[in-house]
Amino acid sequence: PIYVILCALYLFILLVWGISSITYKSPLVGIQNAVTVTLVAGLLEAIMWSATWLVYNQTGYIYDIVNLVCALLTAIKLTFIRTVLLLLSIGFYTIYPTLDVCPKLGLVFLTVFYGTMVGFY
């Protein structure tokens, strides 16, 4: 039941965020689009985990491929969230419209590192 509640919460937040984004679309910046992608990824992840546990509760069997896809969605979502937080921390989109080469390379390195660590653990 926790993933069903999580799906409902993600859907509600996504609807409120979507309506706000459509209403105020002229001053919209890239970070808000990244938040939208994160919310959609979270909703997809919650739906997949909910379906996985529902099938497990009914049949007593977990399908490995579905479990792998769920874990992959979780890893992608966590990596994306960390990358967006890193972008906000260095002031991208809020203070600086573009980044120099060094922060871009560091961002790519940290994103790959985050993704690898989340994927392995």
Coordinates of all heavy atoms in Angstrom, one line a residue, residues 37-97:
V37 N 11.0 16.5 -15.0 CA 11.5 15.1 -15.4 C 11.7 14.3 -14.1 O 11.4 13.1 -14.1 CB 12.8 15.3 -16.2 CG1 13.5 14.0 -16.4 CG2 12.6 15.9 -17.5
T38 N 12.2 14.9 -13.1 CA 12.4 14.1 -11.8 C 11.1 13.6 -11.3 O 11.0 12.5 -10.8 CB 13.1 15.0 -10.8 OG1 14.3 15.5 -11.3 CG2 13.4 14.3 -9.5
L39 N 10.0 14.5 -11.3 CA 8.7 14.0 -10.8 C 8.2 12.9 -11.6 O 7.6 11.9 -11.1 CB 7.8 15.2 -10.8 CG 8.0 16.2 -9.7 CD1 7.1 17.4 -9.9 CD2 7.8 15.6 -8.3
V40 N 8.3 13.0 -13.0 CA 7.8 11.9 -13.8 C 8.6 10.6 -13.6 O 8.0 9.5 -13.5 CB 7.9 12.3 -15.3 CG1 7.7 11.2 -16.2 CG2 6.9 13.5 -15.6
A41 N 9.9 10.7 -13.4 CA 10.7 9.5 -13.1 C 10.3 8.9 -11.8 O 10.2 7.7 -11.6 CB 12.2 9.9 -13.1
G42 N 10.0 9.8 -10.8 CA 9.5 9.2 -9.5 C 8.2 8.6 -9.6 O 8.0 7.5 -9.0
L43 N 7.3 9.1 -10.4 CA 6.0 8.5 -10.6 C 6.1 7.2 -11.3 O 5.5 6.2 -10.9 CB 5.1 9.4 -11.4 CG 3.7 8.9 -11.7 CD1 2.9 8.7 -10.5 CD2 3.0 9.9 -12.7
L44 N 6.9 7.1 -12.3 CA 7.2 5.8 -13.0 C 7.8 4.8 -12.1 O 7.4 3.6 -12.1 CB 8.0 6.0 -14.3 CG 7.4 6.8 -15.4 CD1 8.5 7.0 -16.5 CD2 6.2 6.0 -16.0
E45 N 8.7 5.2 -11.3 CA 9.4 4.3 -10.4 C 8.4 3.8 -9.3 O 8.3 2.6 -9.1 CB 10.5 5.0 -9.6 CG 11.1 4.2 -8.6 CD 11.9 5.1 -7.6 OE1 11.7 6.3 -7.5 OE2 12.6 4.5 -6.8
A46 N 7.5 4.7 -8.8 CA 6.5 4.2 -7.8 C 5.5 3.3 -8.4 O 5.1 2.3 -7.8 CB 5.9 5.4 -7.2
I47 N 5.1 3.6 -9.7 CA 4.2 2.7 -10.4 C 4.8 1.3 -10.6 O 4.1 0.3 -10.3 CB 3.7 3.3 -11.7 CG1 2.8 4.5 -11.5 CG2 3.0 2.2 -12.6 CD1 2.5 5.3 -12.7
M48 N 6.0 1.3 -11.0 CA 6.7 0.0 -11.2 C 6.9 -0.8 -9.9 O 6.6 -2.0 -9.9 CB 8.1 0.2 -11.9 CG 8.0 0.6 -13.3 SD 7.3 -0.7 -14.4 CE 8.7 -1.9 -14.4
W49 N 7.3 -0.2 -8.9 CA 7.5 -0.9 -7.6 C 6.1 -1.3 -7.0 O 6.0 -2.4 -6.5 CB 8.2 0.0 -6.6 CG 9.7 0.1 -6.7 CD1 10.4 1.2 -7.0 CD2 10.6 -1.0 -6.6 NE1 11.7 0.8 -7.0 CE2 11.9 -0.5 -6.8 CE3 10.4 -2.4 -6.3 CZ2 13.0 -1.3 -6.7 CZ3 11.6 -3.2 -6.3 CH2 12.8 -2.6 -6.5
S50 N 5.1 -0.5 -7.2 CA 3.8 -0.9 -6.8 C 3.3 -2.1 -7.5 O 2.8 -3.1 -6.9 CB 2.8 0.3 -7.0 OG 1.5 -0.1 -6.6
A51 N 3.5 -2.2 -8.8 CA 3.1 -3.3 -9.6 C 3.9 -4.6 -9.2 O 3.3 -5.7 -9.1 CB 3.2 -3.0 -11.1
T52 N 5.2 -4.4 -9.0 CA 6.0 -5.5 -8.6 C 5.6 -6.1 -7.3 O 5.5 -7.3 -7.2 CB 7.5 -5.0 -8.5 OG1 7.9 -4.5 -9.7 CG2 8.4 -6.1 -8.0
W53 N 5.3 -5.3 -6.3 CA 4.9 -5.8 -5.0 C 3.5 -6.4 -5.0 O 3.2 -7.3 -4.3 CB 5.1 -4.8 -3.9 CG 6.6 -4.5 -3.6 CD1 7.2 -3.4 -3.9 CD2 7.5 -5.4 -3.1 NE1 8.5 -3.5 -3.5 CE2 8.7 -4.8 -3.0 CE3 7.4 -6.8 -2.7 CZ2 9.9 -5.4 -2.6 CZ3 8.6 -7.4 -2.2 CH2 9.8 -6.7 -2.2
L54 N 2.7 -5.8 -5.8 CA 1.3 -6.3 -6.0 C 1.3 -7.7 -6.5 O 0.7 -8.6 -6.0 CB 0.5 -5.4 -6.9 CG -1.0 -5.8 -7.0 CD1 -1.8 -5.7 -5.7 CD2 -1.7 -4.9 -8.1
V55 N 2.1 -7.9 -7.6 CA 2.3 -9.3 -8.2 C 2.9 -10.2 -7.2 O 2.5 -11.4 -7.1 CB 3.1 -9.2 -9.5 CG1 3.5 -10.6 -10.0 CG2 2.3 -8.5 -10.6
Y56 N 3.9 -9.7 -6.5 CA 4.6 -10.6 -5.5 C 3.6 -11.0 -4.4 O 3.6 -12.2 -3.9 CB 5.8 -9.9 -4.8 CG 6.4 -10.6 -3.7 CD1 7.2 -11.8 -4.0 CD2 6.4 -10.2 -2.4 CE1 7.8 -12.5 -3.0 CE2 7.0 -10.9 -1.4 CZ 7.7 -12.1 -1.7 OH 8.3 -12.8 -0.7
N57 N 2.7 -10.1 -3.9 CA 1.8 -10.4 -2.9 C 0.7 -11.4 -3.4 O 0.2 -12.2 -2.6 CB 1.1 -9.2 -2.4 CG 2.0 -8.3 -1.5 OD1 2.9 -8.9 -0.9 ND2 1.7 -7.1 -1.4
Q58 N 0.4 -11.4 -4.7 CA -0.6 -12.3 -5.2 C -0.1 -13.6 -5.6 O -0.7 -14.6 -5.4 CB -1.3 -11.6 -6.4 CG -2.2 -10.4 -6.0 CD -2.8 -9.8 -7.2 OE1 -2.4 -10.0 -8.3 NE2 -3.7 -8.8 -7.0
T59 N 1.1 -13.6 -6.1 CA 1.7 -14.9 -6.7 C 2.8 -15.5 -5.8 O 3.1 -16.6 -5.9 CB 2.2 -14.7 -8.1 OG1 3.3 -13.8 -8.1 CG2 1.1 -14.2 -9.0
G60 N 3.5 -14.6 -5.0 CA 4.6 -15.1 -4.3 C 5.9 -15.2 -5.1 O 6.9 -15.7 -4.6
Y61 N 5.9 -14.6 -6.3 CA 7.1 -14.6 -7.1 C 7.5 -13.2 -7.6 O 6.6 -12.5 -8.0 CB 6.8 -15.5 -8.4 CG 8.0 -15.8 -9.2 CD1 9.0 -16.6 -8.9 CD2 8.1 -15.1 -10.5 CE1 10.1 -16.8 -9.7 CE2 9.2 -15.3 -11.3 CZ 10.2 -16.1 -10.9 OH 11.3 -16.3 -11.7
I62 N 8.8 -13.0 -7.6 CA 9.3 -11.7 -8.1 C 10.0 -12.0 -9.4 O 10.9 -12.8 -9.5 CB 10.2 -11.0 -7.1 CG1 9.5 -10.6 -5.8 CG2 10.9 -9.8 -7.7 CD1 10.4 -9.9 -4.8
Y63 N 9.5 -11.3 -10.4 CA 10.2 -11.4 -11.7 C 11.5 -10.6 -11.8 O 11.5 -9.4 -11.5 CB 9.2 -11.0 -12.9 CG 8.0 -11.8 -13.0 CD1 6.8 -11.4 -12.3 CD2 8.0 -13.0 -13.7 CE1 5.7 -12.2 -12.4 CE2 6.9 -13.8 -13.8 CZ 5.8 -13.4 -13.1 OH 4.6 -14.2 -13.2
D64 N 12.6 -11.3 -12.1 CA 13.9 -10.6 -12.0 C 14.0 -9.4 -13.0 O 14.6 -8.4 -12.6 CB 15.0 -11.7 -12.3 CG 15.1 -12.7 -11.3 OD1 14.8 -12.4 -10.1 OD2 15.6 -13.8 -11.6
I65 N 13.5 -9.6 -14.2 CA 13.6 -8.5 -15.1 C 12.8 -7.2 -14.7 O 13.3 -6.1 -14.8 CB 13.2 -8.9 -16.5 CG1 13.6 -7.9 -17.6 CG2 11.7 -9.2 -16.6 CD1 15.1 -7.7 -17.8
V66 N 11.7 -7.4 -14.1 CA 10.9 -6.3 -13.6 C 11.6 -5.6 -12.4 O 11.7 -4.4 -12.3 CB 9.4 -6.7 -13.2 CG1 8.7 -5.6 -12.6 CG2 8.7 -7.3 -14.5
N67 N 12.1 -6.5 -11.5 CA 12.9 -6.0 -10.4 C 14.1 -5.2 -10.8 O 14.5 -4.2 -10.2 CB 13.3 -7.2 -9.5 CG 13.5 -6.7 -8.1 OD1 13.1 -5.7 -7.6 ND2 14.2 -7.6 -7.3
L68 N 14.8 -5.7 -11.9 CA 15.9 -5.0 -12.4 C 15.6 -3.6 -13.0 O 16.2 -2.6 -12.8 CB 16.6 -5.9 -13.5 CG 17.8 -5.3 -14.1 CD1 19.0 -5.2 -13.1 CD2 18.2 -6.1 -15.3
V69 N 14.4 -3.6 -13.7 CA 14.0 -2.3 -14.3 C 13.6 -1.3 -13.1 O 13.9 -0.1 -13.2 CB 12.7 -2.5 -15.2 CG1 12.1 -1.2 -15.6 CG2 13.2 -3.3 -16.4
C70 N 13.0 -1.8 -12.1 CA 12.6 -1.0 -11.0 C 13.9 -0.4 -10.3 O 14.0 0.8 -10.0 CB 11.8 -1.7 -9.9 SG 10.2 -2.2 -10.5
A71 N 14.9 -1.2 -10.1 CA 16.1 -0.8 -9.5 C 16.8 0.2 -10.4 O 17.4 1.2 -9.9 CB 17.0 -2.0 -9.2
L72 N 16.8 0.0 -11.7 CA 17.4 0.9 -12.7 C 16.7 2.3 -12.6 O 17.3 3.3 -12.7 CB 17.4 0.3 -14.1 CG 18.1 1.1 -15.2 CD1 19.6 1.1 -14.9 CD2 17.8 0.4 -16.5
L73 N 15.4 2.2 -12.6 CA 14.6 3.5 -12.5 C 15.0 4.3 -11.2 O 15.1 5.5 -11.2 CB 13.1 3.3 -12.5 CG 12.5 3.0 -13.9 CD1 11.0 2.6 -13.8 CD2 12.6 4.3 -14.7
T74 N 15.1 3.5 -10.1 CA 15.5 4.2 -8.8 C 16.9 4.8 -9.0 O 17.1 5.9 -8.5 CB 15.5 3.1 -7.7 OG1 14.2 2.6 -7.6 CG2 15.9 3.8 -6.4
A75 N 17.8 4.1 -9.6 CA 19.2 4.6 -9.7 C 19.2 5.8 -10.6 O 19.9 6.8 -10.4 CB 20.1 3.5 -10.3
I76 N 18.4 5.8 -11.7 CA 18.4 7.0 -12.6 C 17.8 8.2 -11.9 O 18.3 9.3 -12.0 CB 17.6 6.6 -13.9 CG1 18.4 5.6 -14.8 CG2 17.2 7.8 -14.7 CD1 17.6 5.0 -15.9
K77 N 16.7 7.9 -11.2 CA 16.0 9.0 -10.5 C 17.0 9.7 -9.4 O 17.1 10.9 -9.4 CB 14.8 8.6 -9.8 CG 14.0 9.7 -9.1 CD 12.9 9.2 -8.3 CE 13.4 8.7 -7.0 NZ 12.5 8.4 -5.9
L78 N 17.6 8.8 -8.7 CA 18.6 9.4 -7.6 C 19.7 10.1 -8.3 O 20.2 11.2 -7.8 CB 19.1 8.2 -6.7 CG 18.0 7.6 -5.8 CD1 18.6 6.4 -5.1 CD2 17.5 8.7 -4.8
T79 N 20.3 9.6 -9.4 CA 21.4 10.3 -10.0 C 20.9 11.6 -10.6 O 21.6 12.6 -10.5 CB 21.9 9.4 -11.2 OG1 22.3 8.1 -10.6 CG2 23.1 10.0 -11.9
F80 N 19.7 11.6 -11.2 CA 19.2 12.9 -11.7 C 19.0 13.9 -10.7 O 19.3 15.1 -10.8 CB 17.9 12.6 -12.6 CG 17.6 13.7 -13.5 CD1 18.3 13.9 -14.6 CD2 16.5 14.6 -13.2 CE1 17.9 14.9 -15.5 CE2 16.2 15.6 -14.0 CZ 16.9 15.8 -15.2
I81 N 18.4 13.5 -9.5 CA 18.2 14.4 -8.4 C 19.5 15.0 -7.9 O 19.6 16.2 -7.7 CB 17.4 13.7 -7.3 CG1 16.0 13.4 -7.7 CG2 17.5 14.5 -6.0 CD1 15.2 12.5 -6.7
R82 N 20.5 14.1 -7.8 CA 21.8 14.6 -7.3 C 22.4 15.6 -8.3 O 23.0 16.6 -7.9 CB 22.7 13.5 -7.0 CG 22.3 12.7 -5.8 CD 23.3 11.6 -5.5 NE 22.9 10.9 -4.2 CZ 22.7 9.6 -4.1 NH1 22.9 8.9 -5.2 NH2 22.3 9.1 -3.0
T83 N 22.3 15.3 -9.6 CA 22.8 16.2 -10.6 C 22.1 17.6 -10.6 O 22.7 18.6 -10.7 CB 22.7 15.6 -12.0 OG1 23.4 14.3 -11.9 CG2 23.3 16.4 -13.0
V84 N 20.8 17.6 -10.4 CA 20.0 18.8 -10.4 C 20.4 19.6 -9.1 O 20.6 20.8 -9.2 CB 18.5 18.5 -10.4 CG1 17.7 19.8 -10.0 CG2 18.1 18.0 -11.7
L85 N 20.6 18.9 -8.0 CA 21.0 19.6 -6.8 C 22.4 20.2 -7.0 O 22.7 21.3 -6.5 CB 21.0 18.7 -5.6 CG 19.6 18.4 -5.0 CD1 19.7 17.3 -3.9 CD2 19.0 19.7 -4.5
L86 N 23.3 19.5 -7.6 CA 24.6 20.0 -7.9 C 24.6 21.2 -8.8 O 25.3 22.2 -8.6 CB 25.5 18.9 -8.5 CG 27.0 19.2 -8.7 CD1 27.6 19.5 -7.4 CD2 27.6 18.0 -9.4
L87 N 23.8 21.2 -9.8 CA 23.6 22.3 -10.7 C 23.1 23.5 -9.9 O 23.6 24.7 -10.1 CB 22.6 22.0 -11.8 CG 23.2 21.2 -13.0 CD1 22.1 20.7 -13.9 CD2 24.2 22.0 -13.7
L88 N 22.1 23.3 -9.1 CA 21.6 24.4 -8.3 C 22.7 25.0 -7.3 O 22.8 26.2 -7.1 CB 20.4 24.0 -7.5 CG 19.1 23.9 -8.3 CD1 18.0 23.3 -7.4 CD2 18.7 25.3 -8.8
S89 N 23.5 24.1 -6.8 CA 24.5 24.5 -5.8 C 25.6 25.3 -6.4 O 26.1 26.2 -5.7 CB 25.2 23.2 -5.2 OG 24.2 22.5 -4.5
I90 N 25.9 25.1 -7.7 CA 26.9 25.9 -8.3 C 26.3 27.2 -9.0 O 27.0 27.9 -9.7 CB 27.8 25.1 -9.3 CG1 26.9 24.5 -10.4 CG2 28.6 24.1 -8.6 CD1 27.8 23.8 -11.5
G91 N 25.0 27.3 -8.9 CA 24.3 28.5 -9.4 C 23.9 28.5 -10.8 O 23.6 29.5 -11.4
F92 N 23.9 27.3 -11.4 CA 23.5 27.2 -12.8 C 22.0 27.5 -13.0 O 21.2 27.0 -12.2 CB 23.8 25.8 -13.4 CG 23.6 25.7 -14.8 CD1 24.2 26.5 -15.7 CD2 22.8 24.6 -15.3 CE1 24.0 26.4 -17.1 CE2 22.6 24.5 -16.7 CZ 23.2 25.3 -17.6
Y93 N 21.6 28.3 -14.0 CA 20.3 28.7 -14.3 C 19.8 29.8 -13.3 O 18.9 30.6 -13.6 CB 19.2 27.6 -14.3 CG 19.3 26.8 -15.5 CD1 19.4 25.4 -15.5 CD2 19.2 27.3 -16.8 CE1 19.4 24.6 -16.6 CE2 19.2 26.6 -17.9 CZ 19.3 25.2 -17.8 OH 19.3 24.5 -19.0
T94 N 20.3 29.8 -12.1 CA 19.8 30.8 -11.2 C 20.7 32.1 -11.2 O 20.2 33.2 -11.1 CB 19.7 30.3 -9.7 OG1 21.0 29.8 -9.3 CG2 18.6 29.2 -9.7
I95 N 22.0 31.9 -11.2 CA 22.9 33.0 -11.2 C 23.7 33.1 -12.6 O 23.8 34.1 -13.2 CB 23.9 32.9 -10.1 CG1 23.2 32.9 -8.7 CG2 25.0 34.0 -10.1 CD1 24.1 32.6 -7.6
Y96 N 24.2 31.9 -13.0 CA 24.9 31.9 -14.3 C 24.1 31.2 -15.4 O 23.6 30.1 -15.2 CB 26.2 31.0 -14.0 CG 27.1 31.5 -12.9 CD1 27.2 30.8 -11.7 CD2 27.7 32.7 -13.0 CE1 27.9 31.2 -10.7 CE2 28.5 33.2 -11.9 CZ 28.6 32.4 -10.8 OH 29.3 32.8 -9.7
P97 N 24.0 31.9 -16.5 CA 23.2 31.3 -17.6 C 23.9 30.1 -18.3 O 23.3 29.2 -18.8 CB 22.9 32.4 -18.6 CG 24.0 33.4 -18.2 CD 24.4 33.2 -16.8

